Amino acid sequence: MKKLIMFRGNSGSGKSTLAREIHKKLARNNLLISQDTIRRDMLRAKDGKDTTALPLLENLLEYGHNNCEITILEGILNAEWYTTLFRKAQYLYGQNINAYYFDIPFRETVKRHKTRPQRGSFSSEKMKTWWNEKDYIRFIKERSFTSEMTLDDEIQIVIEDLKKDLLS
């Protein structure tokens, strides 16, 4: 069974950290697609409605579906701007999507950002300009992670969800 795991949320919420941890826990030949790596590092593209990163993200999603048991997609991934990516995910994976949204208050994301290696790359004021409250995808069910949860809690939830899927 091919499976897609999605982690979405505002900058500094913890999605990249969780995605890396889950990726390390999985068997080999599973793909981690990071929006930041594609958009900022590989393409040096701006984010927005018509970002040039979108076609590459869609191609990587398809590659993951065709060649990997589990694909992890993580990033801010604005629900409106990335609708075609989410529709592609739905087409490829159907019901085999476990989607998680980091519903974390702005104050907490700033606190978390201060612990990140890239903390000097941008300020909390800049983060505020990107803030998009409760940016849920309306046609893919997303489970919420809150600021009360620890990284270990989140890992346990994702792993338990995967185990349930394997047993069903």
Side-chain angles (χ1 to χ4, degrees):
M1 168 182 64
K2 304 294 182 162
K3 174 64 88 178
L4 174 63
I5 302 170
M6 286 196 312
F7 300 116
R8 299 178 50 256
N10 283 293
S11 180
S13 59
K15 61 202 171 297
S16 299
T17 302
L18 177 58
R20 284 190 303 269
E21 289 300 314
I22 295 297
H23 189 241
K24 281 192 261 182
K25 290 186 178 300
L26 297 174
R28 295 202 179 272
N29 197 39
N30 292 293
L31 178 63
L32 172 59
I33 305 169
S34 169
Q35 177 193 15
D36 281 350
T37 299
I38 303 305
R39 188 186 61 75
R40 287 193 339 219
D41 301 339
M42 293 174 67
L43 297 173
R44 297 186 63 225
K46 287 188 156 209
D47 204 10
K49 190 161 180 56
D50 296 313
T51 179
T52 57
L54 187 54
L56 181 53
L57 287 165
E58 290 175 353
N59 287 340
L60 287 169
L61 196 63
E62 189 164 348
Y63 175 88
H65 180 265
N66 293 336
N67 297 284
C68 302
E69 288 304 308
I70 298 175
T71 299
I72 301 169
L73 173 64
E74 71 85 12
I76 295 173
L77 298 166
N78 179 294
E80 180 185 342
W81 299 343
Y82 289 88
T83 297
T84 61
L85 180 66
F86 304 137
R87 291 284 183 207
K88 176 102 179 205
Q90 212 174 25
Y91 170 76
L92 291 169
Y93 292 91
Q95 297 301 309
N96 293 322
I97 300 173
N98 291 7
Y100 305 89
Y101 181 77
F102 284 76
D103 195 355
I104 310 288
F106 180 71
R107 181 179 299 201
E108 179 65 18
T109 64
V110 170
K111 186 173 137 189
R112 292 179 183 195
H113 175 65
K114 290 178 181 175
T115 68
R116 300 163 67 196
Q118 61 269 50
R119 65 186 164 269
S121 300
F122 47 86
S123 67
S124 58
E125 291 78 19
K126 187 68 173 168
M127 287 174 65
K128 187 68 171 171
T129 67
W130 304 328
W131 187 256
N132 197 0
E133 187 86 19
K134 304 212 181 287
D135 184 40
Y136 289 96
I137 301 170
R138 302 291 178 222
F139 54 91
I140 294 176
K141 185 177 188 268
E142 293 176 287
R143 185 171 182 172
S144 294
F145 286 148
T146 65
S147 57
E148 290 79 30
M149 296 173 171
T150 65
L151 176 60
D152 288 338
D153 294 335
E154 295 162 356
I155 291 168
Q156 184 176 352
I157 288 167
V158 173
I159 297 299
E160 285 177 8
D161 287 350
L162 284 172
K163 285 179 183 176
K164 283 182 217 168
D165 294 340
L166 290 173
L167 295 174
S168 56

